């Protein structure tokens, strides 16, 4: 892996693709600075080694030109506080003035370029745009895991302008190392807990994981497609009828690869998709018409907990139920606590993908598991076994 730990940054300009795509409120104030914080170690390492830093990122989804609410100038104050260093903001990422400014940067200078997506060429992966951007640095570093699955100008295409001077930043390096532990070097028994709404969005991940894990726990809305495929009665629960055959095939594949699949045995059913619906516990194979399963039941929690406590490497992606509603968040909270317990007993626990990360952070348990990934889509694609353009462009 091409890592920055051994690079000499003295008097060199490092152009770093970071992920500063943070949520802002209507007053353009940052409501969650996690992604900016995640970029700090790489920036500090370079400054401490006598280099200068040029940061580039996207923010939000501008339509292809300047939009005040998506300007990265809103990030400058928070960035300065977090790195405890002055930041020079350049109002255009590729104008002649900007390129002139970074040409002779003094060591120790930190520059932030304006939103890359004010140019449609960024998302188009335009070679000329990437070449212009490349003028800003002597070294290119990709530290934006959240966009590593995109072949955009700044995340992948630009790398060819730095054939011998391209590296992963510390965050990207950490993300890859942690996911690789699960995929390539797990301590057995290894368990993947997969939840969330749909089988269709997780099927490739499950199929790919069959080669690296011993057991898969399936919860959330997707469990009901598997239950129906096995002949159970699922009432009005979320089911993807187009995927019944696929679900059957996955169960057979798991069998032939000696992977144990754990499905819920009981469920909390509701007569409406609402927090204040009538709710009761029910055998997962016997859900009456007019009722839908919205969370795993207490028996399933007990069984899943036992599997987790006897595993040494565990991945969690996707909630066990409709955790946004208090009446149906029990299963997801129980799994989060079970992972914390397993971690304190020495297991390696990796959490990734939007909603399970939101759940663990909501419970303030993020620092009590081994690793929480910062990249939703990127992590899922990596787990699916795909080559990510942002990674490939560095390792090529
Ligand atoms: P995903 O983005 O595929 O990980 O799915 C996350 C979403 O799945 C969350 O918004 C949950 O509310 C939803 N979900 C989890 N369990 C169920 C269920 N039993 N029925 C309907 N939706 C569910």
């Amino acid at each position: 892996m091409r890592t920055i730990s051994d690079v000499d940054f003295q008097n060199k300009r490092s152009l770093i693709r970071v992920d500063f795509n943070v949520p802002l409120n209507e007053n353009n104030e940052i409501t969650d600075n996690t992604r900016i914080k995640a970029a700090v170690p790489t920036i500090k390492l370079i400054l401490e080694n006598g280099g200068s830093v040029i940061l580039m990122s996207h923010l939000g989804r501008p339509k292809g030109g300047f939009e005040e609410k998506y300007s990265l100038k809103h990030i400058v104050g928070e960035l300065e506080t977090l790195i405890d260093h002055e930041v020079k903001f350049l109002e255009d990422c590729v104008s002649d003035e900007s390129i002139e400014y970074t040409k002779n940067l003094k060591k120790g200078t930190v520059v932030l370029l304006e939103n890359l997506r004010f140019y449609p060429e960024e998302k188009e992966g335009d070679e000329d745009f990437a070449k212009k951007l490349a003028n800003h640095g002597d070294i290119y570093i990709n530290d934006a895991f959240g966009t590593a699955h995109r072949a955009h100008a700044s995340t992948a295409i630009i790398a060819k302008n730095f054939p011998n001077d391209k590296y992963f930043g510390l965050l990207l390096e950490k993300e890859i190392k942690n996911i690789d532990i699960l995929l390539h070097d797990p301590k057995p028994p290894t368990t993947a807990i997969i939840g969330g709404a749909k089988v269709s969005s997780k099927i490739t991940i499950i199929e790919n994981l069959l080669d690296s894990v011993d057991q898969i726990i399936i919860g959330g809305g997707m469990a009901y497609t598997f239950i129906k495929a096995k002949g159970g009665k699922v009432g009005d629960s979320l089911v993807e009828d187009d995927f019944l055959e696929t679900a059957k095939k996955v169960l057979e594949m798991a069998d032939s690869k000696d992977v144990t699949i754990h499905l819920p045995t009981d469920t909390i059913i509701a007569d409406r998709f609402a927090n204040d619906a009538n709710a009761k516990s029910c055998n997962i194979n016997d859900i009456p018409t007019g009722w839908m399963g919205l969370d795993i039941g207490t028996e399933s929690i007990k069984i899943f907990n036992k599997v987790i406590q006897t595993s040494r490497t565990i991945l969690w992606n996707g909630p066990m139920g409709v955790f946004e509603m208090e009446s149906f968040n029990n299963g997801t909270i129980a799994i989060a606590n079970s992972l914390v317990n397993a971690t304190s007993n020495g297991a390696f626990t990796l959490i990734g993908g939007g909603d399970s990360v939101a759940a663990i952070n909501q419970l303030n348990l993020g620092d009590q598991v081994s690793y929480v990934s910062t990249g939703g889509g990127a992590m899922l694609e990596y787990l699916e076994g795909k080559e990510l353009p942002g990674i490939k462009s560095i390792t090529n």
Side-chain angles (χ1 to χ4, degrees):
M1 198 184 289
R2 293 179 68 84
T3 142
I4 58 173
S5 307
D6 323 310
V7 179
D8 178 12
F9 289 104
Q10 257 323 312
N11 298 315
K12 296 247 174 71
R13 304 168 302 151
S14 291
L15 175 60
I16 315 178
R17 178 46 158 108
V18 287
D19 181 5
F20 286 170
N21 183 30
V22 291
L24 300 173
N25 64 18
E26 59 278 9
N27 300 321
N28 296 324
E29 292 156 347
I30 298 162
T31 54
D32 181 352
N33 67 1
T34 311
R35 286 179 173 159
I36 308 180
K37 267 195 197 153
V40 171
T42 295
I43 301 170
K44 285 207 158 154
L45 182 140
I46 294 168
L47 293 177
E48 279 159 16
N49 280 277
S52 57
V53 168
I54 300 93
L55 300 164
M56 56 178 175
S57 175
H58 77 284
L59 173 64
R61 296 180 171 196
K63 296 194 179 69
F66 177 81
E67 285 176 63
E68 174 70 23
K69 66 175 170 178
Y70 295 131
S71 173
L72 277 167
K73 69 182 176 199
H74 307 309
I75 312 296
V76 174
E78 184 68 14
L79 177 60
E80 287 184 326
T81 307
L82 287 172
I83 61 174
D84 193 19
H85 196 287
E86 193 186 332
V87 173
K88 166 76 180 171
F89 179 68
L90 298 182
E91 284 173 5
D92 189 306
C93 59
V94 286
S95 65
D96 291 346
E97 298 85 68
S98 293
I99 288 168
E100 192 54 39
Y101 187 87
T102 56
K103 215 180 214 168
N104 297 303
L105 272 193
K106 271 210 286 224
K107 76 183 203 181
T109 311
V110 178
V111 171
L112 173 63
L113 304 178
E114 180 57 289
N115 195 341
L116 298 164
R117 290 199 191 164
F118 286 167
Y119 285 87
E121 291 91 333
E122 162 63 0
K123 281 178 80 173
E124 290 160 8
D126 186 89
E127 303 251 356
D128 292 334
F129 179 71
K131 212 168 182 176
K132 270 193 203 163
L133 280 174
N135 283 313
H136 287 297
D138 308 308
I139 293 171
Y140 168 69
I141 294 170
N142 189 351
D143 211 13
F145 186 61
T147 48
H149 57 318
R150 307 280 182 223
H152 295 169
S154 70
T155 61
I157 311 302
I158 191 171
K160 44 181 98 134
N161 296 288
F162 300 87
N164 301 310
D165 298 293
K166 49 180 185 175
Y167 302 91
F168 294 124
L170 297 174
L171 171 68
L172 200 41
E173 186 186 330
K174 203 161 65 172
E175 293 276 358
I176 297 170
K177 273 191 181 157
N178 278 295
I179 307 177
D180 279 350
I181 292 177
L182 177 97
L183 291 180
H184 306 301
D185 192 23
K187 283 204 182 94
T190 303
T191 299
I193 308 160
I194 309 288
K198 292 184 170 172
V199 178
S200 51
S201 62
K202 303 281 167 80
I203 199 71
T204 325
I205 295 175
I206 296 180
E207 283 171 355
N208 194 42
L209 286 174
L210 288 176
D211 291 323
S212 30
V213 305
D214 304 301
Q215 324 182 73
I216 301 182
I217 290 174
I218 296 179
M222 57 189 284
Y224 303 94
T225 301
F226 282 93
I227 296 292
K228 187 169 176 183
K230 289 180 76 174
K233 272 179 26 204
V234 295
D236 291 354
S237 305
L238 185 67
V239 166
E240 286 172 281
D241 282 316
D242 296 355
F243 279 82
L244 290 172
E245 280 311 309
T246 313
K248 265 189 216 161
K249 228 187 275 158
V250 165
L251 293 172
E252 282 164 17
M253 265 166 71
D255 211 30
S256 71
K257 293 189 178 201
D258 261 345
V259 176
T260 313
I261 304 265
H262 299 275
L263 286 161
T265 54
D266 60 347
T267 170
I268 305 298
I269 55 173
D271 58 356
R272 278 181 306 127
F273 190 82
N275 192 38
D276 61 352
N278 292 308
K280 58 184 178 186
S281 172
C282 168
N283 181 298
I284 195 126
N285 292 304
D286 268 320
I287 305 175
T289 308
W291 293 75
M292 60 188 89
L294 296 184
D295 196 6
I296 55 173
T298 46
E299 187 184 79
S300 308
I301 291 176
K302 266 193 207 142
I303 297 169
F304 290 177
N305 182 45
K306 214 167 175 183
V307 174
I308 293 168
Q309 296 316 315
T310 50
S311 300
R312 292 172 72 205
T313 308
I314 306 157
L315 162 78
W316 180 28
N317 169 272
M320 294 291 102
V322 185
F323 79 108
E324 299 92 334
M325 298 181 194
E326 219 173 279
S327 309
F328 308 105
N329 66 6
N330 249 338
T332 302
I333 294 177
I335 293 298
N337 284 315
S338 180
L339 283 174
V340 167
N341 202 19
T343 316
S344 66
N345 289 326
F348 173 79
T349 50
L350 171 64
I351 323 278
D355 278 329
S356 26
V357 174
I360 201 102
N361 287 337
Q362 216 169 293
L363 296 164
N364 273 326
L365 297 174
D367 55 354
Q368 293 178 58
V369 292
S370 307
Y371 193 70
V372 180
S373 174
T374 60
M379 157 131 180
L380 297 186
E381 289 198 17
Y382 199 78
L383 289 174
E384 284 176 6
K386 286 189 188 147
E387 237 181 357
L388 307 190
I391 294 180
K392 198 169 136 197
S393 64
I394 302 283
T395 49
N396 255 354

